Each structure stands twice: as structure tokens, then as C-alpha cells.
């Protein structure tokens, strides 16, 4: 936005900040929060503190630095209020779990390590954050974030202390565990997940899928096709006890096979054309089939045995799950796979639409990064990073509310 446009929104923005930043203990914190949001929305190549302060008529670099990096305000109540307001306006069909990377030089910035960086498509020095977004085909918004700490950080408590990482956070948690933690926070805020979707980085994790099921959550998660499973109609067999040693456990006669093999064996005739949304170049369609499989592997087996009362009491039957497969016309083999705990009777059009809705958060990231400076933060601390991300989320929320529902500008 140009300076004149941003200035005309000051009263409206002040009302928004008074609502979502109502947890701030001091009036001057709300004032500088509103100033920072104007800086994020204002046109400019860099959205770090110094250039924003120089562009704003009331900008003060020193005060903004203190507000973002040192001021002790809690970002969690701010994100909670943003999530409450946006969830009511966006009315999401799915929640998308994802992670986003921020290329970063040096080693002092919190969470920076050499790891896979999606922003550059290879391993590089970067920070990574896990996020949950509410999404429909027409709108989306981030609901909650947390910075991921690699083992290089959690194995060095002194390094974490210098970066201001809270003591209770200094423990390594895989990204899927962080995602479950974010979902628990959202549940504490009384926000109900519709259907959860995520890429194969999360879908291939059996503990993650089990964690969602334990929380009573429905999901449609991408797979890479190499995961093993049994066909749904396969039957376990209980060998005859020979009278010596412990009883032989029930088992399947045939070994599990990769889901890509099961999908090919289903035959191309099982696949039907499905349109999932109207794109800029017309209808987006492909061929899909819904299969029922029994996920196998050591972790699935251990979970089934535990749920069945223990290894010696288990009946040998692995739980059935729904497998959605895409086989585009003209391709020799299927190309994409999703696993779901929704029943196989769920309309295929719904499964496809939910599975494909992950594209929407790419729009989020473009706006958050290129328009609002999500990855422009130059501080090094845990507090500063989470403050900046919270304020960027607030700026996007303000713009989203204005686009979707002018009446939502005034707090309820």
C-alpha cells in the first residue's frame, strides 16, 4: 500500500489493534503495535525495523526495536484473538499443517541450522517454523505458529539461553510433535478443526496420524507412495498351536506391499474424473479412485497390538484406512496418494477437494513473505521472532477481514 492509503486506514487499524492487542498491559505498546502494522503494510522492499521506521511519518527505530525485541508482551493472547476472529469469517473447510523456512546467515539467530530449506529447495542455513492455517478455496489465514529448534540448539542449553529461548521449550521435538502441540493450543482456544490436511512430510509419520486419531481429528494426509499396506479384504490367520512355547501370533499370509503397487493393481478402470475447483484457466480435473487399505509397518503393527490389549491378545487385524489415489489421464502410473481416517463412503469429490486445498496456503506465504515481510526480521531472539511473526499475522488478518467482511472491522 502507498503511504496515503495506509494513513487513511489509521482509525480503522487502531480499532483492530485495540481488539486483538487488548492483552497488552500498556497503551504505548498498542500504539507501537499499530505503528508496526502500518510499516508492514506500507510499500517497500524491506520490512525490517530500520527501513520501516524511515518510511513511517511517526516511525522511531529505537522504540520499535525495543517493542519487538525486548518488550515482554505475550504474543499468545494476540494470536488467540486473531484466530478467533478469522475462524469466524473465513469459515474454513480444512486446517492445513505445514512448515515454512527462512534462509538466514550466521549461527546466532535462534533456531538457525543447516537443514532442508524449502525456500531454496535444498539444505541450507535457515530457520524453520511449523504453522496451522485455516483455509477454503477463497481465503486462508495462519492460526498458530512455533519456531522449530533442531538438535544443534536443544543439545546446547547455553546457546538457547543466549537467544532467549524459554526453559520449557529447550527440548527437541520433531515437527510433527510441534504440529500436535499447536493443535492442542487451538483446542484450548475452543477452535474446532474441520478436516486436517498436510503434505507427505507429515503424512508418512505413523505416530503423527495416530496422534490425530487419539485427539478425535479427521485427516487427509499426503503420502509418497512407498508406505506399505495390505489390501482391505486380506484376512489374518491364527496358526494352529503346537503345544510348545508361547502361542503363535495371528498374522497375514502375504507380506504388505507399497501403496503405489496396490493402486496400480486396482486398475485404471477404477479411476473416475473429478473436478475440484475452478482455476484461472478453467476447471481443474483429474482421475481419482478411493481404495481401502490396512497400513502396515512396525509402528502400525505396534499401535494395533497395543489397541488390541497387547501382543498376545491381539486378533491380528490391522485397522482399515481410506486411500485416495490420483492417476492423471495420459500417465502410465498413479502420481499422488493421500491417506484418511474418514470412511471410504465419503464422496470422492469431497476427499479430492480437501486434499487439494493445501494449495491455498501458498497464497498465504506469498502475501506474508513478499507483501508483509514475514522473512525480513533481522533480530536473533526467540521473543523477537515470535513477536514479529505475530504482528505479521495481525497485519494479514486485518487485510483479510477488510476483503471478506467489512462488518467484521468492528469488534463483536
Amino acid at each position: 500500500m502507498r503511504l496515503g492509503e495506509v494513513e487513511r486506514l489509521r482509525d480503522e487499524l487502531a480499532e483492530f489493534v485495540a481488539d486483538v492487542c487488548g492483552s497488552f498491559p500498556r497503551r504505548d505498546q498498542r500504539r507501537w503495535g499499530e505503528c508496526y502494522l502500518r510499516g508492514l503494510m506500507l510499500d517497500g522492499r524491506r520490512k525490517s525495523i530500520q527501513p520501516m521506521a524511515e518510511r513511517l511519518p511517526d516511525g522511531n527505530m529505537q522504540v520499535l526495536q525495543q517493542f519487538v525485541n525486548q518488550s515482554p508482551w505475550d504474543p499468545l493472547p494476540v494470536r488467540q484473538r486473531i484466530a478467533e476472529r478469522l475462524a469466524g469469517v473465513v469459515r474454513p473447510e480444512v486446517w492445513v499443517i505445514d512448515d515454512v523456512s527462512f534462509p538466514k546467515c550466521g549461527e546466532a539467530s535462534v533456531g538457525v541450522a543447516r537443514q532442508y530449506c524449502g525456500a531454496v529447495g535444498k539444505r541450507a542455513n535457515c530457520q524453520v517454523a511449523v504453522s496451522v492455517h485455516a483455509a477454503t478455496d477463497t481465503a486462508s489465514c495462519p492460526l498458530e505458529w512455533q519456531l522449530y529448534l533442531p538438535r544443534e540448539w536443544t543439545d546446547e542449553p547455553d546457546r538457547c539461553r543466549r537467544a532467549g529461548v524459554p526453559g520449557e521449550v529447550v527440548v527437541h521435538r520433531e515437527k510433527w510433535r510441534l504440529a500436535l502441540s499447536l493443535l492442542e493450543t487451538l483446542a484450548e482456544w475452543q477452535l474446532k478443526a474441520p478436516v486436517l490436511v498436510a503434505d507427505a512430510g507429515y503424512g508418512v509419520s505413523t505416530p503423527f496420524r495416530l496422534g490425530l486419531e487419539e485427539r478425535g481429528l479427521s485427516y487427509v494426509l499426503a503420502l509418497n507412495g512407498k508406505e506399505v499396506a495390505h489390501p482391505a479384504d486380506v484376512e489374518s490367520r491364527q496358526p494352529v498351536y503346537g503345544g510348545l512355547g508361547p502361542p503363535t501370533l495371528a498374522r497375514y499370509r502375504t507380506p504388505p506391499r507399497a501403496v503405489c503397487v496396490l493402486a496400480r493393481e486396482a486398475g485404471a478402470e477404477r479411476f473416475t474424473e473429478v473436478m475440484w475447483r475452478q482455476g484461472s484457466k478453467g476447471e481443474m480435473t483429474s482421475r481419482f479412485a478411493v481404495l481401502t487399505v490396512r497400513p502396515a509397518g512396525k509402528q502400525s503393527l505396534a499401535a494395533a497390538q497395543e489397541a488390541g490389549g497387547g501382543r498376545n491378545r491381539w486378533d491380528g487385524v490391522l485397522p482399515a484406512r481410506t486411500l485416495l489415489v490420483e492417476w492423471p489421464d495420459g500417465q502410465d502410473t498413479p502420481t499422488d496418494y493421500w491417506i484418511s481416517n474418514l470412511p471410504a463412503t465419503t464422496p470422492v469429490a469431497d476427499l479430492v477437494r480437501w486434499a487439494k486445498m493445501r494449495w491455498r496456503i501458498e497464497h498465504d506465504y506469498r502475501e506474508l513473505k513478499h507483501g508483509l515481510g514475514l522473512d525480513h526480521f533481522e533480530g536473533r531472539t526467540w521473543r523477537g521472532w515470535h513477536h514479529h511473526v505475530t504482528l505479521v499475522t495481525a497485519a494479514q488478518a486485518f487485510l483479510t477481514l477488510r476483503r471478506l467482511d467489512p462488518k467484521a472491522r468492528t469488534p463483536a
Side-chain angles (χ1 to χ4, degrees):
M1 288 185 178
R2 296 176 181 174
L3 181 59
E5 295 175 295
V6 173
E7 288 297 306
R8 284 193 292 272
L9 294 174
R10 287 188 68 161
D11 290 343
E12 187 179 326
L13 183 60
E15 290 182 4
F16 173 80
V17 170
D19 178 39
V20 300
C21 298
S23 59
F24 286 5
R26 301 199 313 269
R27 182 182 301 177
D28 66 304
Q29 290 175 321
R30 291 190 287 275
R31 173 195 169 193
W32 291 111
E34 185 263 340
C35 180
Y36 198 87
L37 262 61
R38 282 188 283 118
L40 294 172
M41 294 187 293
L42 192 59
D43 289 342
R45 184 174 179 181
R46 290 292 300 174
K47 301 296 177 72
S48 51
I49 291 174
Q50 181 176 350
M52 285 198 305
E54 292 172 351
R55 287 191 290 266
L56 290 164
D58 56 343
N60 184 311
M61 185 181 73
Q62 184 175 353
V63 175
L64 288 175
Q65 287 276 15
Q66 194 279 334
F67 169 71
V68 174
N69 290 306
Q70 285 86 41
S71 185
W73 56 272
D74 186 353
L76 210 57
V78 181
R79 294 203 297 270
Q80 177 178 352
R81 183 58 184 141
I82 293 170
E84 290 169 347
R85 289 191 63 176
L86 268 293
V89 174
V90 173
R91 301 188 183 281
E93 287 191 69
V94 299
W95 282 4
V96 184
I97 298 167
D98 202 21
D99 47 71
V100 60
S101 56
F102 309 88
K104 198 86 168 176
C105 296
E107 298 181 351
S109 295
V110 62
V112 166
R114 188 166 181 79
Q115 55 194 320
Y116 180 76
C117 180
V120 297
K122 61 181 181 180
R123 285 180 62 84
N125 223 41
C126 67
Q127 295 168 311
V128 175
V130 177
S131 56
V132 180
H133 303 243
T136 67
D137 274 334
T138 57
S140 58
C141 62
L143 299 176
E144 179 61 322
W145 302 83
Q146 186 163 327
L147 191 65
Y148 166 71
L149 290 178
R151 288 192 184 276
E152 296 96 308
W153 279 81
T154 55
D155 289 347
E156 297 185 34
D158 287 343
R159 188 184 186 192
C160 289
R161 180 181 49 79
R162 290 193 297 271
V165 181
E168 66 272 16
V169 181
V170 185
V171 57
H172 179 71
R173 290 193 292 173
E174 298 90 336
K175 293 169 190 171
W176 65 265
R177 291 188 192 275
L178 279 183
L180 292 178
S181 175
L182 296 180
L183 292 173
E184 289 174 356
T185 298
L186 292 168
E188 291 170 3
W189 295 348
Q190 304 302 309
L191 296 177
K192 184 173 176 56
V195 176
L196 290 160
V197 301
D199 64 19
Y202 295 89
V204 300
S205 171
T206 299
F208 177 65
R209 300 198 305 267
L210 293 172
L212 296 180
E213 292 171 8
E214 289 169 2
R215 291 161 175 79
L217 300 172
S218 301
Y219 59 77
V220 181
L221 306 174
L223 299 176
N224 59 30
K226 299 177 182 178
E227 299 76 20
V228 294
H230 293 282
D233 57 359
V234 70
E235 295 183 358
S236 65
R237 179 176 66 92
Q238 179 70 57
V240 177
Y241 180 50
L244 295 174
T248 306
L249 299 178
R251 60 178 180 265
Y252 293 104
R253 291 176 178 269
T254 57
R257 287 167 290 168
V259 295
C260 62
V261 174
L262 297 177
R264 286 198 303 270
E265 291 176 349
E269 64 277 4
R270 287 281 301 270
F271 290 74
T272 58
E273 195 81 10
V274 177
M275 191 276 286
W276 64 88
R277 71 180 176 91
Q278 188 75 30
S280 58
K281 297 181 180 180
E283 293 183 347
M284 304 190 72
T285 64
S286 188
R287 298 190 308 147
F288 296 87
V290 175
L291 312 176
T292 303
V293 298
R294 299 184 184 277
K298 291 182 180 180
Q299 292 175 323
S300 295
L301 178 62
Q305 289 177 346
E306 183 180 352
R311 184 172 182 269
N312 294 324
R313 299 178 62 186
W314 180 51
D315 62 5
V317 178
L318 290 166
R321 294 292 177 263
T322 300
L323 182 70
L324 175 67
V325 185
E326 180 179 1
W327 193 337
D329 195 25
Q331 295 291 325
D332 294 333
T333 59
T335 58
D336 295 286
Y337 311 85
W338 296 265
I339 191 168
S340 176
N341 61 343
L342 293 165
T345 54
T346 304
V348 63
D350 289 341
L351 290 172
V352 171
R353 189 174 70 256
W354 295 330
K356 293 289 189 177
M357 208 172 288
R358 185 185 168 277
W359 75 272
R360 177 67 207 188
I361 66 164
E362 298 303 327
H363 178 277
D364 265 355
Y365 288 145
R366 283 196 299 272
E367 183 176 36
L368 290 164
K369 285 188 170 185
H370 304 310
L372 298 171
L374 178 66
D375 55 351
H376 294 183
F377 179 62
E378 295 177 350
R380 295 179 174 180
T381 66
W382 175 272
R383 175 183 290 172
W385 188 92
H386 284 87
H387 281 178
H388 172 75
V389 167
T390 299
L391 293 165
V392 171
T393 303
Q396 195 219 28
F398 175 74
L399 296 173
T400 301
L401 287 169
R402 296 191 81 254
R403 285 194 297 264
L404 294 181
D405 185 3
K407 295 179 181 178
R409 301 175 195 174
T410 304

